[in-house]
Amino acid sequence: MKYSISALLIISMLLMMSCEETSDPEVIIPMITLESSNTTSAVGSTISITVEIADFPSDFFAVSMRISFDSNRLTISADQSDWIGSVWSSSAIGFLEVESGLVYVSITQIAGTSDVSDDGTVLTFDLTAEQIGVASLDLIQSHLVFYDVDGAEITMSDLEIEGASITIE
């Protein structure tokens, strides 16, 4: 009987300890976001837009993307200077073209340089507020592709994409 009570106490303690809450491991979701220097701007003012990345699961060597914008309220010149972001090496090359409410972008490292492995700025460009209202900018998911050093697409099914909105007064 003495051993039965001891056994019951031990089993009870083990059950209580196993019922303690355990925290789930933190889920890290890769993100790419459009960030605006101003969420509210006056007509005629210049606004800087950055494309930021965070928590990517693997390194990448190149990116191709399209960004849609409200061309009735915003203008973007294709003649941007120093628009390639800080995550790239100083020898990275890129293409930026603006046409009918879309910004076409491609950036790649040069052979012999390391892959992009840090969080930070992919690119920066300036736009001009032209007309009163709310203007949005969005990354088009179907045209957002990251590539590894061998040119293969990097698949990220859980990539979170966030656009930007600017109120023009």
Side-chain angles (χ1 to χ4, degrees):
M1 183 76 157
K2 186 176 181 181
Y3 292 111
S4 300
I5 294 174
S6 296
L8 281 172
L9 285 173
I10 291 172
I11 291 172
S12 297
M13 288 175 53
L14 289 173
L15 284 173
M16 288 185 348
M17 288 178 8
S18 67
C19 291
E20 290 181 15
E21 285 188 38
T22 58
S23 60
D24 292 330
E26 183 180 349
V27 177
I28 298 174
I29 299 173
M31 294 188 66
I32 185 164
T33 59
L34 286 167
E35 295 181 4
S36 170
S37 60
N38 300 318
T39 56
T40 303
S41 291
V43 170
S45 64
T46 300
I47 305 157
S48 290
I49 301 293
T50 60
V51 177
E52 300 286 332
I53 58 169
D55 300 321
F56 269 46
S58 62
D59 296 350
F60 60 94
F61 198 75
V63 66
S64 176
M65 68 178 73
R66 287 186 195 166
I67 301 168
S68 66
F69 67 97
D70 184 343
S71 59
N72 292 320
R73 291 189 167 81
L74 304 168
T75 56
I76 302 171
S77 169
D79 184 26
Q80 301 282 327
S81 63
D82 298 324
W83 60 274
I84 296 177
S86 60
V87 298
W88 303 95
S89 70
S90 61
S91 59
I93 58 172
F95 167 83
L96 183 141
E97 183 66 35
V98 179
E99 182 181 304
S100 302
L102 293 172
V103 180
Y104 297 86
V105 176
S106 289
I107 306 171
T108 187
Q109 296 283 67
I110 299 293
T113 58
S114 60
D115 295 355
V116 173
S117 60
D118 296 330
D119 294 352
T121 303
V122 176
L123 68 117
T124 301
F125 60 92
D126 293 331
L127 49 84
T128 304
E130 298 291 344
Q131 183 179 346
I132 293 173
V134 177
S136 62
L137 292 98
D138 294 293
L139 287 154
I140 302 172
Q141 186 167 6
S142 60
H143 295 281
L144 176 61
V145 184
F146 292 88
Y147 300 93
D148 66 18
V149 71
D150 297 318
E153 285 189 25
I154 298 171
T155 304
M156 288 181 276
S157 58
D158 58 348
L159 178 64
E160 191 171 303
I161 300 172
E162 189 176 301
S165 182
I166 302 164
T167 301
I168 304 166
E169 301 176 331

